[in-house]
PDB file of all heavy atoms in Angstrom:
ATOM      1  N   VAL A   1      76.598  22.312 -21.178  1.00 98.00           N
ATOM      2  CA  VAL A   1      76.204  23.576 -20.577  1.00 98.00           C
ATOM      3  C   VAL A   1      76.271  24.650 -21.656  1.00 98.00           C
ATOM      4  O   VAL A   1      77.332  24.866 -22.254  1.00 98.00           O
ATOM      5  CB  VAL A   1      77.115  23.965 -19.392  1.00 98.00           C
ATOM      6  CG1 VAL A   1      76.719  25.355 -18.858  1.00 98.00           C
ATOM      7  CG2 VAL A   1      77.009  22.933 -18.276  1.00 98.00           C
ATOM      8  N   ILE A   2      75.144  25.276 -21.936  1.00 98.00           N
ATOM      9  CA  ILE A   2      75.110  26.379 -22.897  1.00 98.00           C
ATOM     10  C   ILE A   2      75.328  27.663 -22.114  1.00 98.00           C
ATOM     11  O   ILE A   2      74.513  28.040 -21.278  1.00 98.00           O
ATOM     12  CB  ILE A   2      73.765  26.415 -23.657  1.00 98.00           C
ATOM     13  CG1 ILE A   2      73.556  25.116 -24.420  1.00 98.00           C
ATOM     14  CG2 ILE A   2      73.722  27.621 -24.592  1.00 98.00           C
ATOM     15  CD1 ILE A   2      72.215  25.021 -25.130  1.00 98.00           C
ATOM     16  N   GLY A   3      76.470  28.303 -22.358  1.00 98.00           N
ATOM     17  CA  GLY A   3      76.844  29.519 -21.636  1.00 98.00           C
ATOM     18  C   GLY A   3      76.485  30.758 -22.442  1.00 98.00           C
ATOM     19  O   GLY A   3      77.056  30.996 -23.498  1.00 98.00           O
ATOM     20  N   VAL A   4      75.548  31.550 -21.937  1.00 98.00           N
ATOM     21  CA  VAL A   4      75.109  32.769 -22.612  1.00 98.00           C
ATOM     22  C   VAL A   4      75.967  33.924 -22.125  1.00 98.00           C
ATOM     23  O   VAL A   4      75.877  34.335 -20.956  1.00 98.00           O
ATOM     24  CB  VAL A   4      73.617  33.048 -22.333  1.00 98.00           C
ATOM     25  CG1 VAL A   4      73.181  34.335 -23.002  1.00 98.00           C
ATOM     26  CG2 VAL A   4      72.766  31.876 -22.822  1.00 98.00           C
ATOM     27  N   GLY A   5      76.811  34.422 -23.004  1.00 96.00           N
ATOM     28  CA  GLY A   5      77.749  35.472 -22.617  1.00 96.00           C
ATOM     29  C   GLY A   5      77.097  36.823 -22.442  1.00 96.00           C
ATOM     30  O   GLY A   5      76.216  37.211 -23.215  1.00 96.00           O
ATOM     31  N   VAL A   6      77.544  37.549 -21.406  1.00 96.00           N
ATOM     32  CA  VAL A   6      77.063  38.902 -21.132  1.00 96.00           C
ATOM     33  C   VAL A   6      78.280  39.818 -21.059  1.00 96.00           C
ATOM     34  O   VAL A   6      79.118  39.679 -20.176  1.00 96.00           O
ATOM     35  CB  VAL A   6      76.278  38.964 -19.809  1.00 96.00           C
ATOM     36  CG1 VAL A   6      75.787  40.387 -19.556  1.00 96.00           C
ATOM     37  CG2 VAL A   6      75.115  37.991 -19.823  1.00 96.00           C
ATOM     38  N   ASN A   7      78.371  40.721 -22.032  1.00 93.00           N
ATOM     39  CA  ASN A   7      79.490  41.664 -22.096  1.00 93.00           C
ATOM     40  C   ASN A   7      78.920  43.079 -22.001  1.00 93.00           C
ATOM     41  O   ASN A   7      78.198  43.526 -22.898  1.00 93.00           O
ATOM     42  CB  ASN A   7      80.246  41.481 -23.415  1.00 93.00           C
ATOM     43  CG  ASN A   7      81.507  42.329 -23.491  1.00 93.00           C
ATOM     44  OD1 ASN A   7      81.657  43.315 -22.762  1.00 93.00           O
ATOM     45  ND2 ASN A   7      82.408  41.968 -24.387  1.00 93.00           N
ATOM     46  N   GLU A   8      79.243  43.772 -20.915  1.00 89.00           N
ATOM     47  CA  GLU A   8      78.658  45.102 -20.698  1.00 89.00           C
ATOM     48  C   GLU A   8      79.104  46.121 -21.751  1.00 89.00           C
ATOM     49  O   GLU A   8      78.471  47.167 -21.913  1.00 89.00           O
ATOM     50  CB  GLU A   8      79.024  45.608 -19.301  1.00 89.00           C
ATOM     51  CG  GLU A   8      80.517  45.757 -19.063  1.00 89.00           C
ATOM     52  CD  GLU A   8      80.834  46.159 -17.632  1.00 89.00           C
ATOM     53  OE1 GLU A   8      79.976  45.962 -16.751  1.00 89.00           O
ATOM     54  OE2 GLU A   8      81.955  46.661 -17.393  1.00 89.00           O
ATOM     55  N   ARG A   9      80.142  45.803 -22.497  1.00 91.00           N
ATOM     56  CA  ARG A   9      80.606  46.715 -23.554  1.00 91.00           C
ATOM     57  C   ARG A   9      79.903  46.455 -24.884  1.00 91.00           C
ATOM     58  O   ARG A   9      80.150  47.149 -25.858  1.00 91.00           O
ATOM     59  CB  ARG A   9      82.121  46.572 -23.742  1.00 91.00           C
ATOM     60  CG  ARG A   9      82.949  47.000 -22.521  1.00 91.00           C
ATOM     61  CD  ARG A   9      84.403  46.679 -22.691  1.00 91.00           C
ATOM     62  NE  ARG A   9      84.621  45.235 -22.806  1.00 91.00           N
ATOM     63  CZ  ARG A   9      85.800  44.666 -23.022  1.00 91.00           C
ATOM     64  NH1 ARG A   9      86.879  45.433 -23.154  1.00 91.00           N
ATOM     65  NH2 ARG A   9      85.905  43.351 -23.084  1.00 91.00           N
ATOM     66  N   LYS A  10      79.042  45.456 -24.905  1.00 92.00           N
ATOM     67  CA  LYS A  10      78.375  45.076 -26.157  1.00 92.00           C
ATOM     68  C   LYS A  10      76.878  45.317 -26.061  1.00 92.00           C
ATOM     69  O   LYS A  10      76.267  45.109 -25.018  1.00 92.00           O
ATOM     70  CB  LYS A  10      78.648  43.586 -26.429  1.00 92.00           C
ATOM     71  CG  LYS A  10      78.150  43.071 -27.747  1.00 92.00           C
ATOM     72  CD  LYS A  10      78.570  41.605 -27.933  1.00 92.00           C
ATOM     73  CE  LYS A  10      78.068  41.038 -29.256  1.00 92.00           C
ATOM     74  NZ  LYS A  10      78.489  39.621 -29.441  1.00 92.00           N
ATOM     75  N   LYS A  11      76.278  45.767 -27.160  1.00 94.00           N
ATOM     76  CA  LYS A  11      74.838  45.987 -27.190  1.00 94.00           C
ATOM     77  C   LYS A  11      74.160  44.744 -27.758  1.00 94.00           C
ATOM     78  O   LYS A  11      74.623  44.162 -28.737  1.00 94.00           O
ATOM     79  CB  LYS A  11      74.506  47.210 -28.069  1.00 94.00           C
ATOM     80  CG  LYS A  11      74.989  48.534 -27.497  1.00 94.00           C
ATOM     81  CD  LYS A  11      74.506  49.695 -28.329  1.00 94.00           C
ATOM     82  CE  LYS A  11      72.998  49.844 -28.239  1.00 94.00           C
ATOM     83  NZ  LYS A  11      72.527  51.062 -28.958  1.00 94.00           N
ATOM     84  N   TYR A  12      73.049  44.361 -27.134  1.00 96.00           N
ATOM     85  CA  TYR A  12      72.325  43.164 -27.540  1.00 96.00           C
ATOM     86  C   TYR A  12      70.904  43.526 -27.974  1.00 96.00           C
ATOM     87  O   TYR A  12      70.331  44.502 -27.480  1.00 96.00           O
ATOM     88  CB  TYR A  12      72.253  42.150 -26.390  1.00 96.00           C
ATOM     89  CG  TYR A  12      73.597  41.649 -25.925  1.00 96.00           C
ATOM     90  CD1 TYR A  12      74.210  42.197 -24.793  1.00 96.00           C
ATOM     91  CD2 TYR A  12      74.257  40.639 -26.607  1.00 96.00           C
ATOM     92  CE1 TYR A  12      75.449  41.731 -24.357  1.00 96.00           C
ATOM     93  CE2 TYR A  12      75.492  40.176 -26.168  1.00 96.00           C
ATOM     94  CZ  TYR A  12      76.082  40.723 -25.054  1.00 96.00           C
ATOM     95  OH  TYR A  12      77.311  40.268 -24.631  1.00 96.00           O
ATOM     96  N   MET A  13      70.358  42.712 -28.866  1.00 96.00           N
ATOM     97  CA  MET A  13      68.957  42.884 -29.239  1.00 96.00           C
ATOM     98  C   MET A  13      68.053  42.362 -28.113  1.00 96.00           C
ATOM     99  O   MET A  13      67.025  42.948 -27.818  1.00 96.00           O
ATOM    100  CB  MET A  13      68.653  42.150 -30.552  1.00 96.00           C
ATOM    101  CG  MET A  13      67.177  42.184 -30.937  1.00 96.00           C
ATOM    102  SD  MET A  13      66.832  41.544 -32.600  1.00 96.00           S
ATOM    103  CE  MET A  13      67.296  42.975 -33.576  1.00 96.00           C
ATOM    104  N   TYR A  14      68.467  41.240 -27.506  1.00 96.00           N
ATOM    105  CA  TYR A  14      67.686  40.627 -26.439  1.00 96.00           C
ATOM    106  C   TYR A  14      68.499  40.600 -25.149  1.00 96.00           C
ATOM    107  O   TYR A  14      69.716  40.377 -25.175  1.00 96.00           O
ATOM    108  CB  TYR A  14      67.279  39.193 -26.816  1.00 96.00           C
ATOM    109  CG  TYR A  14      66.432  39.125 -28.066  1.00 96.00           C
ATOM    110  CD1 TYR A  14      66.995  38.717 -29.275  1.00 96.00           C
ATOM    111  CD2 TYR A  14      65.088  39.480 -28.041  1.00 96.00           C
ATOM    112  CE1 TYR A  14      66.221  38.666 -30.422  1.00 96.00           C
ATOM    113  CE2 TYR A  14      64.312  39.426 -29.186  1.00 96.00           C
ATOM    114  CZ  TYR A  14      64.893  39.017 -30.382  1.00 96.00           C
ATOM    115  OH  TYR A  14      64.127  38.966 -31.520  1.00 96.00           O
ATOM    116  N   SER A  15      67.820  40.808 -24.041  1.00 96.00           N
ATOM    117  CA  SER A  15      68.502  40.788 -22.751  1.00 96.00           C
ATOM    118  C   SER A  15      69.010  39.386 -22.432  1.00 96.00           C
ATOM    119  O   SER A  15      68.550  38.393 -23.012  1.00 96.00           O
ATOM    120  CB  SER A  15      67.539  41.250 -21.638  1.00 96.00           C
ATOM    121  OG  SER A  15      66.518  40.293 -21.443  1.00 96.00           O
ATOM    122  N   ALA A  16      69.920  39.305 -21.481  1.00 96.00           N
ATOM    123  CA  ALA A  16      70.438  37.999 -21.081  1.00 96.00           C
ATOM    124  C   ALA A  16      69.315  37.125 -20.531  1.00 96.00           C
ATOM    125  O   ALA A  16      69.280  35.919 -20.787  1.00 96.00           O
ATOM    126  CB  ALA A  16      71.526  38.179 -20.020  1.00 96.00           C
ATOM    127  N   GLU A  17      68.399  37.736 -19.774  1.00 97.00           N
ATOM    128  CA  GLU A  17      67.284  36.975 -19.215  1.00 97.00           C
ATOM    129  C   GLU A  17      66.440  36.328 -20.314  1.00 97.00           C
ATOM    130  O   GLU A  17      66.058  35.153 -20.215  1.00 97.00           O
ATOM    131  CB  GLU A  17      66.396  37.875 -18.359  1.00 97.00           C
ATOM    132  CG  GLU A  17      67.002  38.307 -17.040  1.00 97.00           C
ATOM    133  CD  GLU A  17      67.911  39.537 -17.180  1.00 97.00           C
ATOM    134  OE1 GLU A  17      68.101  40.001 -18.350  1.00 97.00           O
ATOM    135  OE2 GLU A  17      68.414  40.023 -16.163  1.00 97.00           O
ATOM    136  N   VAL A  18      66.161  37.093 -21.367  1.00 97.00           N
ATOM    137  CA  VAL A  18      65.357  36.564 -22.472  1.00 97.00           C
ATOM    138  C   VAL A  18      66.109  35.473 -23.210  1.00 97.00           C
ATOM    139  O   VAL A  18      65.549  34.408 -23.544  1.00 97.00           O
ATOM    140  CB  VAL A  18      64.969  37.695 -23.445  1.00 97.00           C
ATOM    141  CG1 VAL A  18      64.353  37.128 -24.733  1.00 97.00           C
ATOM    142  CG2 VAL A  18      63.989  38.669 -22.783  1.00 97.00           C
ATOM    143  N   ARG A  19      67.387  35.682 -23.476  1.00 98.00           N
ATOM    144  CA  ARG A  19      68.172  34.688 -24.204  1.00 98.00           C
ATOM    145  C   ARG A  19      68.249  33.360 -23.435  1.00 98.00           C
ATOM    146  O   ARG A  19      68.077  32.280 -24.006  1.00 98.00           O
ATOM    147  CB  ARG A  19      69.570  35.228 -24.501  1.00 98.00           C
ATOM    148  CG  ARG A  19      69.603  36.272 -25.609  1.00 98.00           C
ATOM    149  CD  ARG A  19      70.993  36.838 -25.823  1.00 98.00           C
ATOM    150  NE  ARG A  19      71.352  37.824 -24.846  1.00 98.00           N
ATOM    151  CZ  ARG A  19      72.573  38.056 -24.403  1.00 98.00           C
ATOM    152  NH1 ARG A  19      73.581  37.314 -24.827  1.00 98.00           N
ATOM    153  NH2 ARG A  19      72.806  39.018 -23.521  1.00 98.00           N
ATOM    154  N   VAL A  20      68.500  33.457 -22.145  1.00 98.00           N
ATOM    155  CA  VAL A  20      68.576  32.245 -21.311  1.00 98.00           C
ATOM    156  C   VAL A  20      67.215  31.553 -21.284  1.00 98.00           C
ATOM    157  O   VAL A  20      67.129  30.324 -21.428  1.00 98.00           O
ATOM    158  CB  VAL A  20      69.034  32.587 -19.883  1.00 98.00           C
ATOM    159  CG1 VAL A  20      68.823  31.402 -18.949  1.00 98.00           C
ATOM    160  CG2 VAL A  20      70.499  32.987 -19.885  1.00 98.00           C
ATOM    161  N   LYS A  21      66.157  32.309 -21.111  1.00 97.00           N
ATOM    162  CA  LYS A  21      64.809  31.734 -21.003  1.00 97.00           C
ATOM    163  C   LYS A  21      64.428  31.001 -22.283  1.00 97.00           C
ATOM    164  O   LYS A  21      63.905  29.876 -22.232  1.00 97.00           O
ATOM    165  CB  LYS A  21      63.802  32.845 -20.707  1.00 97.00           C
ATOM    166  CG  LYS A  21      62.355  32.372 -20.550  1.00 97.00           C
ATOM    167  CD  LYS A  21      61.457  33.536 -20.154  1.00 97.00           C
ATOM    168  CE  LYS A  21      60.020  33.056 -19.906  1.00 97.00           C
ATOM    169  NZ  LYS A  21      59.349  32.613 -21.144  1.00 97.00           N
ATOM    170  N   VAL A  22      64.684  31.606 -23.430  1.00 97.00           N
ATOM    171  CA  VAL A  22      64.302  31.001 -24.721  1.00 97.00           C
ATOM    172  C   VAL A  22      65.052  29.677 -24.919  1.00 97.00           C
ATOM    173  O   VAL A  22      64.475  28.669 -25.326  1.00 97.00           O
ATOM    174  CB  VAL A  22      64.600  31.965 -25.873  1.00 97.00           C
ATOM    175  CG1 VAL A  22      64.487  31.249 -27.219  1.00 97.00           C
ATOM    176  CG2 VAL A  22      63.635  33.145 -25.853  1.00 97.00           C
ATOM    177  N   ILE A  23      66.360  29.674 -24.636  1.00 98.00           N
ATOM    178  CA  ILE A  23      67.143  28.443 -24.836  1.00 98.00           C
ATOM    179  C   ILE A  23      66.745  27.375 -23.831  1.00 98.00           C
ATOM    180  O   ILE A  23      66.630  26.194 -24.161  1.00 98.00           O
ATOM    181  CB  ILE A  23      68.653  28.752 -24.731  1.00 98.00           C
ATOM    182  CG1 ILE A  23      69.054  29.803 -25.761  1.00 98.00           C
ATOM    183  CG2 ILE A  23      69.472  27.483 -24.953  1.00 98.00           C
ATOM    184  CD1 ILE A  23      70.478  30.332 -25.588  1.00 98.00           C
ATOM    185  N   ALA A  24      66.538  27.783 -22.580  1.00 97.00           N
ATOM    186  CA  ALA A  24      66.148  26.822 -21.544  1.00 97.00           C
ATOM    187  C   ALA A  24      64.819  26.167 -21.873  1.00 97.00           C
ATOM    188  O   ALA A  24      64.634  24.959 -21.662  1.00 97.00           O
ATOM    189  CB  ALA A  24      66.075  27.517 -20.183  1.00 97.00           C
ATOM    190  N   GLU A  25      63.884  26.927 -22.410  1.00 96.00           N
ATOM    191  CA  GLU A  25      62.586  26.367 -22.798  1.00 96.00           C
ATOM    192  C   GLU A  25      62.749  25.369 -23.938  1.00 96.00           C
ATOM    193  O   GLU A  25      62.051  24.353 -23.983  1.00 96.00           O
ATOM    194  CB  GLU A  25      61.629  27.477 -23.213  1.00 96.00           C
ATOM    195  CG  GLU A  25      61.117  28.318 -22.043  1.00 96.00           C
ATOM    196  CD  GLU A  25      60.197  29.441 -22.494  1.00 96.00           C
ATOM    197  OE1 GLU A  25      60.108  29.693 -23.723  1.00 96.00           O
ATOM    198  OE2 GLU A  25      59.569  30.066 -21.612  1.00 96.00           O
TER     199      GLU A  25
END
């Protein structure tokens, strides 16, 4: 299981949705 971490205190270049989608594909 690849767990994509989401931390509201951290800024990301890509949203969680995009990160999950790219890896899942």
